[in-house]
Amino acid sequence: SAAMPVLEGIGVAGKSIPRMRGKMLLHAGPPIEWKRMCGPMQGAIVGANLHEGWARNEKEARALVTAGKVRLAPCHHHDAVGPMSGIISPSMPVWIVRNSVGGNRAYSNLNEGLGKVLRFGANNDEVLNRLKWMRDTLAPTLAAALKVLGPLELKPLMAQALHMGAEVHTRNAPASGLLLMRLVPAILKSGVKAADAAAACEFIA
């Protein structure tokens, strides 16, 4: 029978994704050696090292990876997906989607938005500060909302979004808008700080 994806919640990557342990980074695409990675993917891996506090600067981050002290693995080997040069590090929040028919789960990091973002290889203070805010404020706010909302079936939202002109990939405003409509009342009922609720809604919008 067909899979029935349900948005189950938000978790911490290192605690939620199977077999993601220690200093490990998941990357988009197939298995590839560090020296063969494109510039944006290397930049994203450097940024993830800085985000995790494993390195103090780019030179230290590159040295860690080159020495094999940070393990690299494809997202797909861990039931996860990463967009573009998408990197998932242990402390990053991830969406958890469960197949209500088969019981298996898949994981995806949260969209950083537009502009300078880790998925395109940027790793300056603007990027790192946003990642920290997403981890410390956005994710707990969304997690609180999903506890109020409960598991959310995604196929009906996807079907409606397709009728609104989306293709559920790059033209994602309809799907994001439909999800936001479901999240906002739950965020307001969850008891999170008003400033956090407003910031989360503004960021998603």
Side-chain angles (χ1 to χ4, degrees), residues 30-71:
I32 185 171
E33 297 176 2
W34 162 257
K35 62 183 180 181
R36 296 186 60 236
M37 289 180 174
C38 63
M41 183 169 284
Q42 288 192 358
I45 286 175
V46 167
N49 274 277
L50 297 174
H51 175 61
E52 293 296 330
W54 298 339
R56 293 172 295 181
N57 52 52
E58 180 177 353
K59 183 178 180 180
E60 286 187 4
R62 290 180 175 273
L64 282 174
V65 178
T66 302
K69 294 181 179 179
V70 174
R71 291 177 294 157

Side-chain angles (χ1 to χ4, degrees), residues 119-196:
R119 69 177 183 274
F120 290 149
N123 54 37
N124 61 8
D125 287 343
E126 176 186 345
V127 174
L128 297 177
N129 288 336
R130 186 189 306 114
L131 290 173
K132 182 178 179 181
W133 175 81
M134 291 174 70
R135 179 191 65 199
D136 297 342
T137 302
L138 178 62
T141 300
L142 294 176
L146 289 173
K147 285 183 179 179
V148 173
L149 188 60
L152 178 64
E153 288 192 19
L154 294 178
K155 268 192 175 178
L157 292 183
M158 294 163 65
Q160 187 175 351
L162 290 170
H163 282 288
M164 295 167 68
E167 29 74 290
V168 202
H169 185 203
T170 56
R171 291 199 306 274
N172 51 38
S176 297
L178 291 169
L179 178 60
L180 183 60
M181 287 170 61
R182 299 296 300 273
L183 286 174
V184 167
I187 290 174
L188 296 177
K189 292 177 181 177
S190 69
V192 299
K193 294 179 181 178
D196 292 346

